[in-house]
């Protein structure tokens, strides 16, 4: 989603802004731009498309004093209001003197535009953002200084947003504000920098301040004044952050997604070793999680993280005998949920910034539930606001499609399941030890799963021209069918639907027609014959069937068109671990189909990595 970078007090401000924006590219965007002030004059350069295009535009034209400017703001835009075109690209400039970059949505922008005191203003864009510089101008025209004008503007705004503004007549100040959408200020000695996340600015600073909701600040090269929502000057904590992890590269892979799929054995070692102690105890406190006897657990998330939650429901209920409810965060937050029967909520989020998940967590807090975040990005809003955090530690995930995050979230959730089960004696010590032993073998098993890559390429070539697909799974593999379908549709743009195998006859079977690819995840769990029958029913109606399964199941379903065999895993436990093992073929299939179709795999159309608007 939109990325913001701003800087004051540093030579080559524009270059630094561009470097910061590069690091926000993973969030997904459709246009980019920057504005800077030089000799009390505002300049701006914008382009539709990726940052490389903006950089080309800059290098091909002579932009006045671009190198010498010490104040600049920049933006990558993911369109919410208004088409993707130059006019709507940020910074949104008013009268060549006020520039604003904005992330989020100003919900009352139409009402604000209609204010009588703005009657004389012409709005040139179709964005909600434009109302900000216009309001600032109206207040400045009435004699207020820049800070007071921006503050007055802020007080009129409703919605979830973060923005930064500069004014050419006040060239020594940047105004920033945050309400729900993230914003971080980096503290350099003689300069200050602002970013949508700390990753975008740690090439310049190693101390940051996370603004809280309702905060706004006026930033000068040597000082930062922060105000809270009650307009009182406030001291927010200065946090030391890991120094720059550098620009993440593809390391010879064609796409970040491919790299991230193949990284999974290694990153899983990080996830596991950060939570599993030498004595095989799991470093997770179920007490801090607020889990109580006879109380159910609530898990909430969005997208792929939600499908990890569904797998966790199956695991925790089966292994620990504790009932679990899963909630799509976007639904939970608005439906006046009850807290009866619950003492805790787990939220799962790679980015730690998904607005729906954040809001679901806040809703749970209002209901007095203890909140635990399973999160990848340390210092993200969800991490900071949760009562307790457990990190997946997979490093930056750049591809919009979540891959290594999913398997690491599952691993954390499995550790929670057996910890709970061991604590409430649903499993004995021997079983516990056995599970721990198997968790330690997971990285190696994932390496073996990756070896089926070439078989999957073969299938991808066969189905790449289809327009529709169906994914099926049962039990632990039902959420995987949903995840497989999500992965395929988001990066290949092929319509894909996931169903529980047993649901086929209740409607979806009507979709089957000649040659429709039906992809089934299957494991010998005692119910495989039922699922095989479901597949037979699809074959009878002309479907092309692709089975991703263990050896035993494949032997029973010789009629399928293609079969992918997952590597052997300890027989007694293969069902339990199947969602982690089969995540790899699901990801590889989506990846290769998309690559064959030539889509923008890492930044698919219309999508963003951090979904910070509703
Ligand atoms: O950062 P989060 O885990 O909160 O993100 C949730 C979803 O937006 C995310 O999983 C999304 O569905 C991915 N594009 C899936 O690949």
């Amino acid at each position: 989603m939109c990325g913001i970078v701003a800087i004051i007090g540093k030579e080559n401000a524009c270059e630094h802004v561009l470097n910061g924006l590069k690091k926000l590219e993973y969030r997904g965007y459709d246009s980019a731009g920057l504005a800077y002030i030089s000799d009390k004059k505002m300049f701006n350069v914008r382009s539709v498309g990726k940052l490389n295009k903006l950089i080309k535009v800059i290098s091909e034209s002579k932009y006045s004093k671009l190198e010498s400017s010490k104040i600049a703001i920049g933006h990558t835009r993911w369109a919410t209001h208004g088409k993707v075109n130059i006019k709507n690209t940020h910074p949104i400039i008013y009268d060549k003197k006020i520039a604003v970059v904005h992330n989020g949505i100003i919900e009352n922008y139409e009402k604000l535009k209609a204010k009588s005191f703005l009657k004389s203003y012409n709005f040139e864009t179709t964005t909600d953002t434009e109302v900000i510089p216009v309001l600032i101008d109206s207040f400045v025209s009435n004699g207020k200084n820049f800070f007071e004008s921006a503050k007055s503007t802020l007080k009129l705004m409703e919605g979830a947003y973060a923005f930064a503004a500069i004014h050419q007549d006040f060239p020594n100040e940047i105004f920033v504000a945050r309400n729900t959408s993230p914003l971080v200020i980096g503290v350099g000695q003689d300069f200050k920098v602002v970013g949508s996340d700390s990753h975008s600015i740690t090439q310049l600073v190693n101390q940051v301040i996370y603004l809280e909701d309702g905060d706004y600040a006026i930033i000068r090269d040597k000082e930062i004044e922060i105000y809270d929502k009650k307009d009182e000057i406030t001291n927010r904590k200065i946090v030391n952050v890991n120094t720059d992890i550098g620009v993440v590269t593809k390391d010879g892979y064609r796409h970040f997604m491919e790299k991230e799929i193949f990284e999974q054995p290694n990153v899983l070692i990080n996830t596991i070793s950060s939570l599993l102690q030498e004595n095989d105890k799991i470093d997770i406190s179920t007490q801090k999680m607020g889990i109580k006897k006879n109380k159910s657990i609530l898990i909430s998330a969005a997208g792929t993280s939600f499908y990890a939650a569904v797998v966790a429901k199956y695991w925790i209920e089966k292994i620990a005998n504790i009932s679990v409810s899963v909630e799509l965060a976007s639904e939970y937050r608005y439906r006046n949920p009850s807290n009866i029967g619950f003492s805790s909520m787990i939220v799962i989020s790679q980015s730690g910034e998904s607005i729906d998940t954040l809001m679901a967590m806040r809703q749970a807090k209002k209901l007095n539930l203890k909140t635990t975040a399973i999160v990848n990005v340390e210092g993200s809003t969800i991490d900071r606001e949760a009562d307790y955090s457990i990190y997946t530690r997979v490093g930056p995930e750049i591809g919009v499609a979540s891959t290594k995050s999913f398997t690491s979230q599952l691993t954390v959730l499995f550790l929670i399941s057996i910890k709970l089960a061991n604590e409430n004696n649903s499993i004995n010590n021997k079983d516990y030890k056995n599970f721990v032993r198997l968790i330690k073998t997971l990285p190696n098993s994932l390496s073996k799963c990756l070896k089926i890559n070439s078989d999957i390429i073969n299938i991808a070539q066969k189905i790449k021209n289809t327009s529709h697909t169906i994914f099926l799974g049962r039990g632990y593999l039902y959420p995987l069918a949903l995840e497989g379908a999500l992965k395929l549709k988001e990066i290949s743009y092929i319509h894909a639907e996931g169903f529980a195998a047993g649901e086929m006859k209740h409607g979806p079977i009507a979709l089957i027609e000649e040659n429709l690819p039906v992809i089934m995840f299957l494991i010998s769990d005692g119910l495989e014959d039922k699922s095989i029958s479901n597949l037979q029913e699809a074959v009878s109606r002309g479907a092309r069937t692709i089975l991703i399964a263990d050896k035993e199941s494949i032997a029973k379903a010789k009629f399928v068109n293609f079969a992918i065999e997952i590597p052997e895993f300890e027989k007694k436990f293969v069902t339990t671990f199947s969602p982690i093992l089969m995540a790899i073929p699901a990801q590889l299939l989506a990846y290769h189909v998309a690559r064959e179709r030539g889509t923008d795999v890492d930044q698919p159309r219309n999508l963003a990595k951090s979904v910070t608007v509703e």
Side-chain angles (χ1 to χ4, degrees):
M1 230 131 255
C2 305
I4 292 176
V5 179
I7 190 159
I8 185 158
K10 197 158 178 73
E11 297 286 348
N12 276 326
C14 293
E15 198 184 317
H16 292 302
V17 163
L18 286 172
N19 290 339
L21 291 179
K22 270 245 150 250
K23 293 180 132 195
L24 292 174
E25 274 197 301
Y26 73 93
R27 297 161 74 95
Y29 67 104
D30 41 55
S31 50
L34 61 83
Y36 59 99
I37 303 173
S38 196
D39 292 341
K40 278 201 151 201
K41 271 212 164 96
M42 177 78 73
F43 299 89
N44 78 89
V45 43
R46 299 177 291 180
S47 83
V48 168
K50 299 294 177 197
L51 268 177
N52 287 346
K53 218 164 139 213
L54 180 73
I55 292 167
K56 197 159 166 248
V57 175
I58 293 174
S59 64
E60 280 171 357
S61 332
K62 263 213 108 12
Y63 277 91
S64 193
K65 305 209 169 137
L66 184 124
E67 288 85 11
S68 61
S69 169
K70 284 181 152 192
I71 175 167
I73 60 176
H75 193 259
T76 45
R77 173 174 189 246
W78 186 83
T80 58
H81 289 66
K83 285 213 161 95
V84 178
N85 58 32
I86 282 283
K87 266 199 172 165
N88 291 339
T89 299
H90 295 211
I92 299 290
I93 314 282
Y94 178 72
D95 198 22
K96 295 191 185 147
K97 55 186 185 192
I98 304 167
V100 172
V101 287
H102 162 225
N103 173 13
I105 293 172
I106 304 164
E107 282 167 6
N108 61 339
Y109 78 104
E110 293 281 16
K111 270 196 201 148
L112 292 175
K113 277 165 90 172
K115 290 259 179 216
S116 56
F117 65 92
L118 296 185
K119 244 188 355 242
S120 59
Y121 285 89
N122 281 329
F123 287 88
E124 288 174 0
T125 77
T126 43
T127 65
D128 51 340
T129 307
E130 193 177 4
V131 77
I132 304 177
V134 166
L135 280 166
I136 293 176
D137 186 72
S138 75
F139 292 120
V140 172
S141 307
N142 276 322
K144 286 186 175 176
N145 65 23
F146 175 51
F147 170 64
E148 287 299 333
S149 302
K151 178 179 153 187
S152 304
T153 299
L154 181 68
K155 295 291 158 192
L156 296 172
M157 288 164 52
E158 287 166 17
Y161 51 77
F163 76 89
I166 53 177
H167 193 303
Q168 71 169 22
D169 299 338
F170 303 84
N172 303 317
E173 296 177 336
I174 300 179
F175 182 90
V176 297
R178 170 202 169 144
N179 191 33
T180 311
S181 302
L183 210 58
V184 184
I185 304 175
V187 189
Q189 195 145 54
D190 293 327
F191 72 94
K192 304 289 170 276
V193 57
V194 176
S196 286
D197 65 20
S198 56
H199 172 60
S200 62
I201 57 176
T202 44
Q203 70 277 22
L204 294 173
V205 290
N206 51 20
Q207 289 198 311
V208 302
I209 298 170
Y210 293 101
L211 291 184
E212 292 187 9
D213 272 355
D215 282 357
Y216 58 96
I218 189 85
I219 304 177
R220 304 184 184 94
D221 51 4
K222 293 196 177 66
E223 65 178 342
I224 306 166
E225 251 170 52
I226 303 176
Y227 297 80
D228 64 16
K229 55 177 148 227
K230 292 188 202 128
D231 301 319
E232 277 161 18
I233 270 217
T234 178
N235 276 324
R236 296 283 175 229
K237 209 164 70 191
I238 297 186
V239 179
N240 290 323
V241 285
N242 290 341
T243 39
D244 188 21
I245 50 160
V247 176
V248 186
T249 59
K250 291 184 198 147
D251 291 343
Y253 288 98
R254 289 164 285 193
H255 298 96
F256 281 108
M257 181 178 178
E258 186 182 29
K259 177 186 167 198
E260 285 155 6
I261 292 173
F262 279 86
E263 258 176 4
Q264 287 175 101
N266 275 332
V267 296
L268 227 56
I269 294 176
N270 283 352
T271 312
I272 296 168
S273 57
S274 69
L275 293 171
L276 207 53
Q277 298 163 344
E278 274 179 22
N279 56 7
D280 281 353
K281 291 232 151 52
I282 295 165
D283 189 12
I284 291 173
S285 164
T286 52
Q287 198 193 352
K288 285 191 188 151
M289 291 176 77
I291 290 168
K292 296 217 168 97
K293 218 173 161 198
N294 301 326
K295 294 276 183 190
S296 304
I297 300 169
L298 197 58
I299 313 183
S300 190
T304 291
S305 300
F306 175 74
Y307 299 142
V310 183
V311 175
K313 173 182 167 68
Y314 282 49
W315 275 335
I316 297 175
E317 294 199 339
K318 178 143 192 196
I319 305 171
N321 197 22
I322 298 173
S323 95
V324 175
S325 286
V326 288
E327 295 268 3
L328 279 168
S330 54
E331 285 294 314
Y332 181 79
R333 57 179 294 197
Y334 286 121
R335 66 171 189 78
N336 293 333
S338 148
N339 63 357
I340 297 171
F342 298 102
S343 59
S344 58
M345 175 193 257
I346 301 172
V347 292
I348 309 170
S349 175
Q350 184 286 129
S351 60
E353 299 293 353
S354 292
I355 191 165
D356 293 321
T357 311
L358 172 65
M359 291 312 205
M361 186 174 85
R362 287 185 182 166
Q363 175 69 27
K365 282 193 155 194
K366 278 194 205 142
L367 296 173
N368 290 323
L369 303 188
K370 274 255 179 264
T371 54
T372 298
I374 297 177
V375 68
N376 189 38
V377 180
E378 288 188 54
S380 56
T381 311
I382 290 178
D383 174 28
R384 284 179 290 114
E385 290 194 18
D387 295 315
Y388 179 54
S389 291
I390 306 170
Y391 302 106
T392 48
R393 298 192 195 281
V394 298
E397 188 177 68
I398 307 295
V400 160
S402 188
T403 52
K404 59 180 178 174
S405 296
F406 182 60
T407 44
S408 68
Q409 288 165 349
L410 289 178
T411 305
V412 171
L413 289 160
F414 190 76
L415 288 169
I416 292 174
S417 312
I418 59 168
K419 170 113 187 171
L420 289 168
N422 195 219
E423 283 179 355
N424 71 8
N425 296 320
S426 296
I427 54 172
N428 58 30
N429 270 340
K430 195 168 149 237
D431 291 338
Y432 174 84
K433 288 265 180 202
N434 231 342
F435 278 132
V436 168
R437 180 180 59 79
L438 289 163
I439 287 167
K440 289 181 189 164
T441 68
L442 276 177
N444 192 27
S445 301
L446 292 199
S447 294
K448 288 189 197 151
C449 287
L450 286 165
K451 299 219 168 84
I452 53 185
N453 194 31
S454 51
D455 297 345
I456 301 226
I457 295 176
N458 186 25
I459 294 178
Q461 283 163 347
K462 304 253 169 23
I463 64 167
K464 67 178 182 194
N465 292 323
T466 191
S467 315
H468 304 279
T469 51
I470 284 181
F471 284 73
L472 298 177
R474 186 186 286 273
Y476 291 130
L477 295 176
Y478 160 50
L480 202 72
L482 302 178
E483 169 62 2
L486 173 64
K487 224 59 333 152
L488 185 69
K489 75 180 88 159
E490 70 179 333
I491 59 169
S492 73
Y493 317 146
I494 292 175
H495 176 221
E497 293 284 339
F499 299 106
E503 277 297 294
M504 275 305 273
K505 283 201 280 277
H506 298 286
I509 199 163
L511 295 169
I512 308 270
E513 54 189 19
E514 204 59 39
N515 271 330
L516 178 94
V518 173
I519 298 128
M520 176 177 273
F521 299 99
L522 185 63
I523 203 82
S524 313
D525 56 1
L527 296 174
E528 66 274 19
D529 292 341
K530 292 186 191 299
S531 302
I532 290 171
S533 300
N534 299 137
L535 211 51
Q536 285 273 20
E537 287 152 12
V539 171
S540 315
R541 287 157 182 86
R544 263 188 296 171
T545 45
I546 297 158
L547 187 63
I548 299 174
D550 59 334
K551 197 175 184 171
E552 286 79 2
S553 309
I554 290 177
K556 288 184 177 180
K558 296 225 173 67
F559 59 88
V560 297
N561 296 90
F562 309 101
I564 300 276
E565 185 185 319
I566 59 152
E568 250 183 88
F569 196 82
E570 230 167 272
K571 202 165 174 348
K572 198 170 151 215
F573 296 98
V574 68
T575 304
T576 309
F577 286 93
S578 58
I580 301 182
L581 303 173
M582 294 215 186
I584 301 272
Q587 295 165 355
L588 285 172
L589 184 65
Y591 171 69
H592 288 302
V593 171
R595 187 186 50 71
E596 290 280 337
R597 286 165 69 95
T599 60
D600 187 347
V601 171
D602 286 331
Q603 288 173 19
R605 67 183 183 206
N606 307 338
L607 287 177
K609 185 70 182 162
S610 280
V611 184
T612 53
V613 294
E614 283 191 64

